[in-house]
């Protein structure tokens, strides 16, 4: 059974930084394309960043230059480093994993990020 557990959320002031982690258990980590998404109150969930099995990263325009996604195969963990945070970054952040062979998709439970102005 594949499980994803996010951590690292919290309350931070505008301009601050946070590092989110998503630990994956079960399955084959090297087969998973990983992504971070967020959902603000009253809004739809939106993609934030993704990283391929080979480490290729893509970002939403709203976070380019501020957020960095990375993965550590030894720790079976994907990270989202968030800098220069803005109040509009406030949301619940979720990670997901997609098996590139079976297309099975898994989600974590989310972690709250709140940026105060």
């Amino acid at each position: 059974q594949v499980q994803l557990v996010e951590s690292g959320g919290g309350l931070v002031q505008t301009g601050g930084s946070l590092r989110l982690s998503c630990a994956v258990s079960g399955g084959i980590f090297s087969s998973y394309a990983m992504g971070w998404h967020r959902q603000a109150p009253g809004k739809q969930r939106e993609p934030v960043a993704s990283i391929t099995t080979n480490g290729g990263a893509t970002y939403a325009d709203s976070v380019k230059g501020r957020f960095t996604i990375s993965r550590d195969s030894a720790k079976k963990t994907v990270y989202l480093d968030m800098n220069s945070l803005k109040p509009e970054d406030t949301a619940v952040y979720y990670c997901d994993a997609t098996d590139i062979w079976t297309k099975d998709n898994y989600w974590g439970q989310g972690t709250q990020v709140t940026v105060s102005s």
Side-chain angles (χ1 to χ4, degrees), residues 96-108:
D96 83 307
T98 301
D99 189 307
I100 62 170
W101 304 110
T102 67
K103 307 306 179 187
D104 290 337
N105 182 241
Y106 308 95
W107 288 81

Side-chain angles (χ1 to χ4, degrees), residues 8-27:
L11 174 64
V12 64
Q13 291 185 334
T14 296
S17 300
L18 282 174
R19 168 176 258 204
L20 305 184
S21 300
C22 174
V24 180
S25 61

Side-chain angles (χ1 to χ4, degrees), residues 10-77:
L11 174 64
V12 64
Q13 291 185 334
T14 296
S17 300
L18 282 174
R19 168 176 258 204
L20 305 184
S21 300
C22 174
V24 180
S25 61
I28 302 174
F29 183 75
S30 60
S31 295
Y32 297 142
M34 302 295 299
W36 285 98
H37 308 255
R38 65 187 181 188
Q39 187 167 18
K43 295 187 177 181
Q44 289 188 331
R45 190 174 299 188
E46 62 177 4
V48 174
S50 63
I51 187 165
T52 67
T53 55
N54 293 326
T58 58
Y59 299 94
D61 287 343
S62 59
V63 306
K64 279 181 182 176
R66 300 189 298 122
F67 291 9
T68 302
I69 188 171
S70 61
R71 61 191 295 158
D72 185 329
S73 295
K75 295 183 178 179
K76 297 183 179 180
T77 299

